[in-house]
Amino acid sequence: TVTVSTDPGCKWTANSNDNWITITSGSNGTGHAAIGYSVAANNSLDRRVGSISLAGQLFKVTQASTCSFEISPVTQSFTAAGGSGTVTITTPTGCSWTASSNAVFISINSNMSGVASGTVTFSVGANRSTEARTGTLTIGGATLTITQSGATPEPEKLYFAQIAKGDGVECEVLLANPSTTAVVSGKIEFLDDNGFPFTAGMADSTTPGNVNFSLPPLASLSTLTDTTGRAVAGSVRVTSDGHLGGMVRFRVTGVGVASVEEGKPLSGFLVPVRSKGHLNSGIALHNVESTPLVITLSLHDKQGSPVSNGVKTIGVAAAGHFAQFISELFPVANTESFEGILLAQVIGEGKIVAIALELGSDPGAFSTLPVIPLK
């Protein structure tokens, strides 16, 4: 029905302007009244708009079409790697529809429109974030919701280029969890020159080659190598599911103690070194890559000039270790009373971490040296 409001005694008429709209009551009258009308079924695929002329005014009537759109499925899930998917739209032949993406990480690959039932294919890009995300496709007015999980966080890693055991040398690995809320779990691996696990003789562990740990918030861990037996050296890799801080403390019987924080992966660096009297500088390297690296080591005097016979190229295995004193690295160079710089550069792509130490025979003649990145 539609109501007409006017003053008593005022005449009016009602007429349909379309054959699918019929006046069923109150086609004319005076004063306030209600007019009844009916609408015939719409057998077309398009909606239609008609009208009734009533007291000199138009009353608009809108009727939907017989087109309906259903999609299947209405939700889809993807891993962080992304991938492709399909969605089916069902509708009578002749009903037109379009498909559109409402998210930048979702792309429609085929069938962006149609006039009957069909299939839409789409792709979801990789999610580099650790956060999950949601996006939608609109197809014929229906909504497909797409959820994608976040990427798995890369494990945290700490590297120490030198650790040793036996022959009066003791090393202590110290780790600390700076989080006030999270438990951090992981393992400490001891790797030999070839990058293989070796038994570091940890005094508080019976696990050869590694120590597993779980550190509560603000907790720390200390683990020691064994001072007995023959001397063995390698490097340390710490892998964890959260951020840690750490250091290695070296203790040489009768000489002293020196400590060094975790090494930073670098493609090139320099170290101030000397080989003088009873003092000798040494360097230890750890290859953080999964492939072997070639490294050039060179000596430069205090003025920056290259030292004669002071260049050596070495190979370090994947995850491998290398350590020598200056006098061992350059046996032909005149290092008997030398002060200057040791320069290390990776040839090609890749990074290493380093520890530099100075050791003497007198008590207290044991210290760490700075590893300075190249600019």
Side-chain angles (χ1 to χ4, degrees):
T1 62
V2 58
T3 300
V4 60
S5 298
T6 186
D7 293 334
C10 291
K11 295 182 178 181
W12 50 264
T13 59
N15 298 292
S16 170
N17 299 314
D18 299 274
N19 59 11
W20 50 275
I21 304 173
T22 302
I23 304 296
T24 58
S25 64
S27 59
N28 58 73
T30 59
H32 183 83
I35 296 93
Y37 65 94
S38 64
V39 176
N42 183 4
N43 296 317
S44 75
L45 299 177
D46 299 314
R47 75 168 191 159
R48 57 187 178 181
V49 178
S51 63
I52 296 173
S53 295
L54 177 59
Q57 300 184 53
L58 283 181
F59 173 69
K60 185 183 290 186
V61 177
T62 301
Q63 187 178 26
S65 72
T66 57
C67 287
S68 61
F69 303 95
E70 292 184 2
I71 63 170
S72 179
V74 295
T75 61
Q76 289 196 42
S77 299
F78 289 83
T79 66
S84 59
T86 60
V87 56
T88 299
I89 180 169
T90 302
T91 190
T93 301
C95 292
S96 62
W97 53 267
T98 60
S100 61
S101 171
N102 304 308
V104 294
F105 66 93
I106 307 172
S107 302
I108 296 175
N109 299 329
S110 66
N111 299 334
M112 297 183 68
S113 62
V115 290
S117 297
T119 299
V120 176
T121 63
F122 62 91
S123 59
V124 175
N127 187 1
R128 308 298 181 190
S129 168
T130 58
E131 299 293 326
R133 58 186 179 181
T134 301
T136 61
L137 293 180
T138 301
I139 306 169
T143 300
L144 169 65
T145 301
I146 296 168
T147 57
Q148 185 179 26
S149 58
T152 302
E154 288 292 323
E156 295 272 347
K157 291 185 178 180
L158 298 181
Y159 301 100
F160 302 95
Q162 179 76 358
I163 193 169
K165 67 168 289 268
D167 198 21
V169 176
E170 179 187 74
C171 287
E172 181 181 12
V173 179
L174 297 102
L175 301 176
N177 177 9
S179 174
T180 59
T181 57
V183 175
V184 177
S185 299
K187 65 179 177 179
I188 306 170
E189 297 175 275
F190 305 97
L191 305 170
D192 65 14
D193 290 354
N194 295 311
F196 299 124
F198 77 96
T199 302
M202 307 311 291
D204 56 353
S205 173
T206 58
T207 306
N210 66 75
V211 174
N212 297 314
F213 64 86
S214 181
L215 289 179
L218 304 178
S220 60
L221 165 72
S222 173
T223 184
L224 297 168
T225 62
D226 189 354
T227 60
T228 62
R230 69 181 184 89
V232 179
S235 52
V236 178
R237 178 173 61 199
V238 180
T239 306
S240 63
D241 59 8
H243 179 68
L244 294 172
M247 61 178 286
V248 169
R249 180 180 292 129
F250 303 91
R251 197 177 277 111
V252 180
T253 302
V255 177
V257 177
S259 301
V260 62
E261 294 182 343
E262 70 268 18
K264 305 301 181 184
L266 301 169
S267 58
F269 61 87
L270 57 85
V271 177
V273 294
R274 60 181 173 172
S275 177
K276 193 172 185 180
H278 68 283
L279 295 173
N280 199 358
S281 299
I283 187 170
L285 306 176
H286 172 69
N287 179 2
V288 303
E289 309 293 347
S290 58
T291 55
L293 292 179
V294 177
I295 302 152
T296 298
L297 302 171
S298 58
L299 279 182
H300 298 257
D301 63 24
K302 294 175 73 172
Q303 286 71 44
S305 300
V307 174
S308 178
N309 298 312
V311 178
K312 186 171 186 175
T313 300
I314 63 169
V316 182
H321 163 266
F322 174 88
Q324 281 187 352
F325 285 101
I326 298 301
S327 56
E328 297 174 302
L329 276 171
F330 309 104
V332 182
N334 183 11
T335 59
E336 186 175 343
S337 183
F338 175 80
E339 288 188 67
I341 291 295
L342 174 64
L343 175 65
Q345 293 177 292
V346 175
I347 299 176
E349 299 294 325
K351 293 186 177 181
I352 53 176
V353 296
I355 287 177
L357 299 170
E358 185 175 82
L359 183 64
S361 57
D362 294 338
F366 191 21
S367 61
T368 58
L369 300 171
V371 176
I372 304 169
L374 289 180
K375 296 282 187 184

